[in-house]
Amino acid sequence: MSRVGKKPIPVDGSVEIAVDNGSIRVKGKHGELCHTWHPNIGVAWNDGDRELVVTRPNDQRHNRALHGLTRALIANMVQGVQQPFEKKLEIQGVGYQATLNGKKLSLQVGFANTIVLDVPDGVVCEVPAPTQVIIRGADKHAVGQFAANIRRVRPPEPYKGKGIRYVGEVVRRKAGKAFGS
C-alpha cells in the first residue's frame, strides 16, 4: 500500500468535517474548503477518533496514484483551515515596487506600464513594504498559484538578480561580458 495514502489524517476538534457521496467539506476558523475525489477512492470519517481514512479498491497503478494524491489534498485542506498557508515574495531592482489597492495588486517592475493582477477569492494579499508581498490563504493551491503568477511577471534574471523572487530563493548569478581590449 501507499505509505502516504494509508496514514490516517488527524483532525483537530475545531474543524468540522462533512463527507458526502464523493465530496468532502472542511470548515475551520480560517475558511471553508470543498473537494470532490475520484469515484475509485473511498474516504471514511471516524467521528470517535476524529480522523479521516482514505482507501483504494485494488493495487492498479492508477488507483495507487490517486490514493496518495487524495490523502495529500485532504490533509492540506485540514491543515489550511487550521493554519493558513503563506508565501512571501521580495522584489529586487531600482524603482521596482508593489502596491495594493483593494483586491488589485499593482507591480512596477521595469516595464513601461504597471502590471495589475486581481487577487483571487480566498487569498489575502499584504504589502508591508514596497518591495515585499505576503500571500495567505486556506487553499494551498490558490496561494501557490497566485505567488507563481506574481513571480512570472518578472522572474529574477541571472546577471544582476533583478526581479521578483520567493524569500530565501537562491538565484544563480552569471558573469557578464568581460571587458577586453
Side-chain angles (χ1 to χ4, degrees):
M1 256 187 120
S2 168
R3 292 184 194 177
V4 173
K6 69 181 177 182
K7 290 172 52 177
I9 303 167
V11 179
D12 191 28
S14 63
V15 178
E16 298 176 20
I17 303 287
V19 178
D20 293 330
N21 293 339
S23 69
I24 185 169
R25 183 172 303 279
V26 180
K27 186 176 182 180
K29 63 181 178 180
H30 292 288
E32 182 175 347
L33 298 173
C34 186
H35 175 68
T36 303
W37 63 82
H38 195 274
N40 288 356
I41 301 299
V43 176
W45 167 241
N46 186 346
D47 201 21
D49 294 337
R50 293 209 49 88
E51 65 183 17
L52 287 160
V53 178
V54 180
T55 58
R56 66 175 185 237
N58 53 34
D59 284 341
Q60 289 181 351
R61 184 178 182 91
H62 183 65
N63 291 335
R64 286 192 320 237
L66 288 172
H67 188 208
L69 171 72
T70 304
R71 193 258 178 215
L73 291 175
I74 294 173
N76 286 339
M77 289 170 56
V78 171
Q79 182 183 351
V81 297
Q82 292 174 349
Q83 178 68 34
F85 292 100
E86 179 179 275
K87 291 279 188 180
K88 294 182 180 180
L89 298 161
E90 61 184 2
I91 303 170
Q92 292 188 351
V94 177
Y96 286 17
Q97 63 181 354
T99 56
L100 187 65
N101 300 323
K103 292 287 275 181
K104 297 203 181 281
L105 180 69
S106 301
L107 300 170
Q108 296 173 343
V109 286
F111 297 120
N113 57 338
T114 301
I115 307 298
V116 179
L117 299 173
D118 292 327
V119 179
D121 294 333
V123 174
V124 177
C125 189
E126 297 175 8
V127 182
T131 59
Q132 293 179 342
V133 178
I134 299 174
I135 303 155
R136 287 190 186 94
D139 188 0
K140 187 174 188 177
H141 174 72
V143 170
Q145 186 63 51
F146 186 57
N149 290 345
I150 293 171
R151 186 182 181 278
R152 192 180 314 145
V153 170
R154 176 71 88 171
E157 53 96 15
Y159 295 103
K160 292 186 179 180
K162 299 189 325 183
I164 303 171
R165 66 178 77 181
Y166 297 110
V167 170
E169 178 181 359
V170 177
V171 177
R172 290 189 55 197
R173 302 288 297 273
K174 292 183 180 178
K177 286 186 186 179
F179 181 78
S181 55

